Amino acid sequence: MTQTPDLSAALNREQANEELFALLRLPSVSADPTRTGDMAATAEFLRAKLGGLGFTARTEATAGHPIVYAERLNAPGKPTVLIYGHYDVQPEAPLEEWVTPPFEPTIRDGRIYARGSTDDKGQSYAHVMGVELLLSQGELPVNVKFLLEGEEEIGSPNLEPYVRDHADELKADVIVISDGSRFGPEIPSITYGLRGISYVEIHVQGASRDLHSGSYGGAAPNPINALAQIITRLKDDQGRVTIPGFYDGIDELTDAERQMWADLPHSDAAFAASIGVSALPGEAGYTTLERLWGRPTLDVNGIWGGYQGEGSKTVIAAKAGAKVSMRLVPGQDPERVTRLITEYVPTLAPEGTTATVHPLHGGRPFKFDLNSPYNHAANRALHRVYGRDAVFTRAGGGIPIVAAFNDLLRAPVLFVDMGLNEDALHSPNESFAVNDYHNGILTSAYLLQELGAPNTGE
Ligand code: BES
Ligand code: MN
Ligand code: MN
């Protein structure tokens, strides 16, 4: 029997908002080397908060940004739940597109606007507040550990060694993560798969210096044109990636899985409209959800070369470059894919140019057990908040540490989301609906209750 005090009535929503605002004011951009002080301050903010809730809490220095670890193990005989989240955020650029400044959280139309509001400070902090809410009623129903990192958005380079070195301390029965998006506004969901990633730069070199485009144009190789050619050759007209061996060994989608996704209430027209486009181009033979969740892809994420200032300058650049990410699915290994593109791109360089590939980071794809008993506990918790059963989805994004959690901690991962795609994670004007934040706090509290209830596993 689960005890059900009215947690919703006990939640102090004003306080929850104010505290999240304070966290969101800290510009914890992990990619920005000028923000290392802000990163440390954010870690300390979280450590102090968890310490204040009676957790044994510390920040741990790494070669990069600090890790926050906290535990409260006062529920003997009960399961141990490790909650993972990240306090780092994406760069705020382009700044001019924000209606209100990214690090001055503001509520408009029922939404909290700020960088990191949904990814992932808001969702991580919902767990902190969920724990506080439970503590206001008595002792926690399970043992709780928090692992909050500051390098997720740059590929978690220092977390895996930390997890390896602290595997005993981090031991848990289940790892809870809220760092994705629910399927729809009224629909709770449990995510059971994440894509992996291989992220590289392509550099193209032409002449030894920038050239007068009249004196040399028509004779000299142009690295920007060359780069454009290389990029267009990386995908064919069926939307398939052309890198030899790219698709080798991938787990094909099963009919059952395709059917489960086809049954979800998804509309291509609504999806296209939500991002302001008229079509959704992608790999032939697959639906939109299949392309997003179950198929790999390749995208250019940035491009540079030549003159970018006001007005014109007649010049043929000596160099050009692009940032390219490949999203991977189970069966693909990021190191292998990185090697394949590194070997392939130089062969595409037009005469007179050289093209090289420079790896930035990678992350493994991962699929969780659809039949895990913890899914039932999560579903019960979500049902209490949203009044309906959860759907099972996969996600197009990735979280680099998750595969390592599975290898090193040998505990099942439970991915329970609070926000929505429309929260515009990574975009200007990122937001988190105030209601979703409060529902997230309740979800966290109910989930911990369900995980501590004797019927977990049935
Ligand atoms: N929270 C996202 C990942 C995500 C997004 C999962 C949507 C599920 C649904 C995470 O913060 C993120 O952005 N990850 C990066 C990883 C990369 C930097 C290695 C990503 O997917 O681009
Ligand atoms: Mn995230
Ligand atoms: Mn992110």
Side-chain angles (χ1 to χ4, degrees), residues 86 119-120 152-153 179:
H86 64 92
D119 185 11
D120 181 38
E152 194 277 340
E153 300 289 10
D179 187 23

Side-chain angles (χ1 to χ4, degrees), residues 341-382:
I341 192 172
T342 304
E343 289 166 2
Y344 183 51
V345 163
T347 70
L348 299 178
E351 256 190 320
T353 66
T354 52
T356 50
V357 173
H358 305 263
L360 292 182
H361 62 69
R364 282 181 283 162
F366 196 71
K367 236 170 104 172
F368 316 118
D369 183 4
L370 250 182
N371 297 313
S372 153
Y374 296 105
N375 291 342
H376 298 291
N379 187 45
R380 286 194 297 273
L382 289 167

Side-chain angles (χ1 to χ4, degrees), residues 22 55 419 446:
F55 278 66
Y446 292 149

Side-chain angles (χ1 to χ4, degrees), residues 33-84:
T34 69
R35 256 94 176 236
T36 47
D38 298 308
M39 295 301 294
T42 311
E44 172 52 24
F45 177 101
L46 291 164
R47 187 209 61 76
K49 173 67 189 179
L50 286 163
L53 291 178
F55 278 66
T56 306
R58 64 173 195 266
T59 63
E60 185 110 10
T62 72
H65 304 301
I67 289 165
V68 180
Y69 177 72
E71 61 180 32
R72 184 177 171 103
L73 310 177
N74 288 357
K78 293 293 187 175
T80 299
V81 181
L82 173 65
I83 299 171
Y84 162 85

Side-chain angles (χ1 to χ4, degrees), residues 132-143:
E132 178 163 355
L133 181 58
L134 286 171
L135 284 169
S136 74
Q137 311 294 308
E139 188 46 78
L140 297 179
V142 288
N143 301 295

